[in-house]
Amino acid sequence: DAGVIQSPRHEVTEMGQEVTLRCKPISGHDYLFWYRQTMMRGLELLIYFNNNVPIDDSGMPEDRFSAKMPNASFSTLKIQPSEPRDSAVYFCASSFRQGGQPQHFGDGTRLSIL
Amino acid sequence: GEDVEQSLFLSVREGDSSVINCTYTDSSSTYLYWYKQEPGAGLQLLTYIFSNMDMKQDQRLTVLLNKKDKHLSLRIADTQTGDSAIYFCAGFFTGGGNKLTFGTGTQLKVEL
């Protein structure tokens, strides 16, 4: 079975540019999560969706960050404009239902903003 | 809010057992998980335990849950160099909404 697929795996861009990260969840999973991982702050939940609807975006750091889920098999996380402090590894995860079903993670996008 | 704590580092010799510990503050846990993260990769689910269980064993992995002390542990028997990674404990807590709360991760180093 295909796991959670994220693209690109690596992204290097200059500050001020728009960055778009993509995620394809596991088929049939109805929850999708975006996380950010840094050495300083560890793993942070940015936003999660249920049935394509954003449920909690309280972890989104600023208005420069936005996330969409136009359908059950695709989600994007955009940063515009990007800043060097946005450099991190961004993970997407999905799960089936809630109430304790484990989340399955993609391999992440390593983002470097110069 | 919920707090999940782990020690940052653990070093063991190949062939020995590793025990990675995790403590949490919210007693209303429902499910608790162990994830493994290898360099450059995502978090891989290793095992999980329901809060009404005390122990779960899966091949070389043994999870122990002490609800009274709010303590979770992961024991890896016959630790191999391939077990070197960062291990995260995580849990669903009633007070945390529908969010999974992660610990800071324990870096396990297996030495020859």
Side-chain angles (χ1 to χ4, degrees), chain A residues 9 31 33 35 37 43 45 48 55-56 58 91 98-108 110, chain B residues 30-31 33 35 37 39-45 48 50 86 88 92 97-100 102-104:
Chain A
R9 289 297 315 276
Y31 280 83
F33 306 82
Y35 290 88
Q37 186 179 40
L43 200 61
L45 176 65
Y48 76 92
I55 302 301
D56 185 343
S58 59
F91 289 106
Q98 196 45 290
Q101 292 299 312
Q103 295 178 19
H104 298 267
F105 283 73
D107 284 336
R110 184 173 295 274
Chain B
T30 54
Y31 300 81
Y33 305 85
Y35 284 86
Q37 185 179 29
L43 277 70
Q44 172 195 355
L45 178 69
Y48 61 103
F50 302 145
I86 300 175
F88 292 90
F92 272 110
N98 287 322
K99 303 175 186 179
L100 197 58
F102 283 86
T104 52

Side-chain angles (χ1 to χ4, degrees), chain A residues 2-31:
Chain A
V4 175
I5 299 172
Q6 292 186 246
S7 64
R9 289 297 315 276
H10 299 91
E11 175 89 14
V12 180
T13 191
E14 293 185 347
M15 66 177 293
Q17 298 297 306
E18 179 180 288
V19 173
T20 300
L21 311 181
R22 297 173 176 80
C23 175
K24 177 178 168 55
I26 293 173
S27 177
H29 282 190
D30 51 0
Y31 280 83

Side-chain angles (χ1 to χ4, degrees), chain A residues 8-79:
Chain A
R9 289 297 315 276
H10 299 91
E11 175 89 14
V12 180
T13 191
E14 293 185 347
M15 66 177 293
Q17 298 297 306
E18 179 180 288
V19 173
T20 300
L21 311 181
R22 297 173 176 80
C23 175
K24 177 178 168 55
I26 293 173
S27 177
H29 282 190
D30 51 0
Y31 280 83
L32 184 139
F33 306 82
W34 282 101
Y35 290 88
R36 178 172 69 176
Q37 186 179 40
T38 61
M39 290 291 291
M40 292 296 295
R41 301 174 68 93
L43 200 61
E44 303 172 276
L45 176 65
L46 301 177
I47 185 171
Y48 76 92
F49 295 82
N50 175 218
N51 290 324
N52 314 337
V53 175
I55 302 301
D56 185 343
D57 65 354
S58 59
M60 295 284 262
E62 299 171 35
D63 291 344
R64 298 183 296 106
F65 286 69
S66 63
K68 293 182 180 179
M69 192 165 185
N71 57 61
S73 59
F74 184 66
S75 177
T76 60
L77 178 68
K78 282 190 179 180
I79 309 172

